[in-house]
Amino acid sequence: MSNFAFNNPAFQEPRNGRGGAPTQYAPPPAPGAQGAAASSAAHAGMDAAANAQLEGMYAAPPAGAIETDRMTIEDTIWKTVGMFAILLVTAVVGWVWTASSFDPTTGNVSLVPWIAGALGGFVLAMVITFTSRKKIRPALIFAYAAFEGLFVGAISAFFETIWPGIVMQASLATFSVVGVTLALFASGKIRASAKMTKIVMIAMFGYLAFSVLNLILMWTNVLPQDLMFGMHSAKIAGIPLGLIIGILVVFMAAYSLVLDFDQIQQGVRNGAPRKYGWLGAFGIMVTVVWLYVEILRMIAILRGNN
């Protein structure tokens, strides 16, 4: 039985113009000495050109995200760096705005940058989250980074006026958690799982409900005025509730980072379009800012009890 691969017309014998019997193949006449020399020179030139082309291809740099229009780890890292650069710029604005409004006699500061940054960041985060399936808008993600920077700078300046040095402490702790989480993920010692993700998501919604209730009780003056952080400042067996919850929240935020890294890795592996790198950078920023604010509050509770 003949090989089916050779049924391709390219492997069939040539036929005459009327589709009849195969035309007889006539071998070319044997070349003379001059023809053989010319043929050998032509083949040598073709081989040299082919080798030069291959060497040029091997020497050329590998195709990046721009050439392939595909999501890569390097491109996502640069997008993340760009977003945090914007956050730092607006954080300086929020810091200066808040610090310049501080009144040492009364201890009051302007909460405008704090509230504007928090509300603007929250609204943009919701818009980005629920519309990214249809269209990814880098401009909205940049705007989110700007508002988050305003919020982070304002709240950091506010805490720094009360507890000097707290911002450095919170920053170092945040960098440590992010660095350890990234190292564990890169080494393969920690991975996201469906069961753990479900548990963490339930815990996050529970913490969100607790935080909203705590804000409502503080704004309505239901809680005593001496509880600076509301129910977070309440003590259980002499330990502030905010510390107990804060430790759990740090673990939740660290696992959220694992989910962010895992989604980026899957996007690269599946050849997702380059624009999805913006969502990876957005997810990392949301988690890191959340982690920083929680650590800042935990340190404030500790220093407030001393």
Side-chain angles (χ1 to χ4, degrees):
M1 181 179 292
S2 63
N3 194 325
F4 288 106
F6 292 98
N7 291 332
N8 191 294
F11 295 97
Q12 301 301 313
E13 292 180 314
R15 296 181 178 271
N16 57 26
R18 298 180 181 178
T23 58
Q24 295 296 324
Y25 174 74
Q34 293 181 352
S39 177
S40 299
H43 281 294
M46 293 173 61
D47 291 341
N51 290 334
Q53 184 179 10
L54 286 174
E55 290 179 2
M57 293 173 62
Y58 284 122
I66 297 178
E67 292 81 6
T68 62
D69 197 32
R70 288 290 181 266
M71 184 178 177
T72 64
I73 299 294
E74 294 79 8
D75 186 63
T76 304
I77 291 174
W78 281 115
K79 286 180 169 61
T80 305
V81 171
M83 288 184 61
F84 274 98
I86 294 175
L87 181 142
L88 289 176
V89 171
T90 55
V92 172
V93 176
W95 180 290
V96 173
W97 189 346
T98 303
S100 60
S101 66
F102 176 68
D103 187 352
T105 57
T106 62
N108 295 328
V109 295
S110 175
L111 298 180
V112 174
W114 183 342
I115 297 174
L119 290 179
F122 176 77
V123 172
L124 286 173
M126 293 297 100
V127 173
I128 294 169
T129 300
F130 291 106
T131 63
S132 59
R133 289 183 177 271
K134 296 182 179 180
K135 186 176 182 181
I136 298 175
R137 301 177 177 87
L140 290 182
I141 297 177
F142 280 129
Y144 166 79
F147 276 102
E148 281 296 278
L150 194 65
F151 165 71
V152 169
I155 193 174
S156 298
F158 175 78
F159 277 69
E160 187 72 15
T161 57
I162 303 175
W163 299 285
I166 190 174
V167 172
M168 181 61 69
Q169 294 173 340
S171 299
L172 292 176
T174 302
F175 290 147
S176 299
V177 173
V178 174
V180 170
T181 304
L182 179 58
L184 291 175
F185 180 83
S187 64
K189 294 182 179 180
I190 184 172
R191 283 290 183 267
S193 65
K195 183 177 181 181
M196 189 63 184
T197 301
K198 185 181 296 184
I199 294 174
V200 171
M201 291 301 295
I202 293 174
M204 288 173 63
F205 280 112
Y207 180 67
L208 177 62
F210 170 82
S211 299
V212 172
L213 177 62
N214 187 48
L215 283 176
I216 294 174
L217 294 177
M218 291 177 64
W219 288 343
T220 55
N221 295 323
V222 174
L223 297 175
Q225 295 295 325
D226 59 337
L227 298 179
M228 181 177 182
F229 299 100
M231 290 186 288
H232 287 278
S233 299
K235 294 184 178 180
I236 298 178
I239 303 175
L241 180 61
L243 292 181
I244 301 174
I245 296 178
I247 295 174
L248 297 176
V249 172
V250 169
F251 278 107
M252 286 192 293
Y255 187 78
S256 296
L257 276 176
V258 173
L259 291 177
D260 295 332
F261 298 150
D262 184 68
Q263 290 175 355
I264 293 172
Q265 190 179 68
Q266 289 185 16
V268 173
R269 187 184 298 119
N270 296 333
R274 184 188 176 203
K275 61 183 179 180
Y276 283 93
W278 289 113
L279 289 184
F282 168 73
I284 291 176
M285 174 165 284
V286 171
T287 306
V288 171
V289 170
W290 174 35
L291 178 64
Y292 170 77
V293 172
E294 292 297 334
I295 291 177
L296 190 69
R297 176 162 47 198
M298 288 177 62
I299 298 176
I301 292 174
L302 277 173
R303 294 183 61 173
N305 288 332
N306 295 334

